[in-house]
Amino acid sequence: MGITDLIASFLQQSLEEAENGVLEVQRNDLAQRFNCVPSQINYVMSTRFSPERGYIVESRRGGNGYIRITRVRVDRQTLMMHVINSLGAQVDLPSARAILSNLVQSGALAEEIGQALLAALGDKALGAVPRESRNQVRADIMKQVLILQV
């Protein structure tokens, strides 16, 4: 298990034990605990505790800086609309894969639909589309299919 996984597991467990679903931690304390640089903590926050995964992360830098993680429980439709609205004009394949994985894991999207959509968004399926346009086409397809799922 890598350092990123260890940090994420620790934070997830701490969040589950938190009374009100809110965890507040010091970035420097976490970095010392896991013997890593604070930017590694930032990486974990941005990749593992994103709004698409159902979290709100607030942070304040400085001597008394903190990171506050709040687990947000939203209904399926709200989550789907958030994802659709947060998709930009382009989405690369790794991002599309992560978003679909998160939607499937949260139960907002059936696994079969997630797999079919991922296949439709892949470079093999978009082979006739020029490389420089694939991310735009990928985003358009993803939005349209997710809209149908709402």
Side-chain angles (χ1 to χ4, degrees), residues 88-99:
Q90 298 186 25
V91 65
D92 60 17
L93 188 55
S95 297
R97 185 178 291 117
I99 292 167

Side-chain angles (χ1 to χ4, degrees), residues 115-129:
Q115 290 174 347
L117 185 51
L118 187 58
L121 298 174
D123 284 333
K124 286 184 182 179
L126 299 177
V129 177

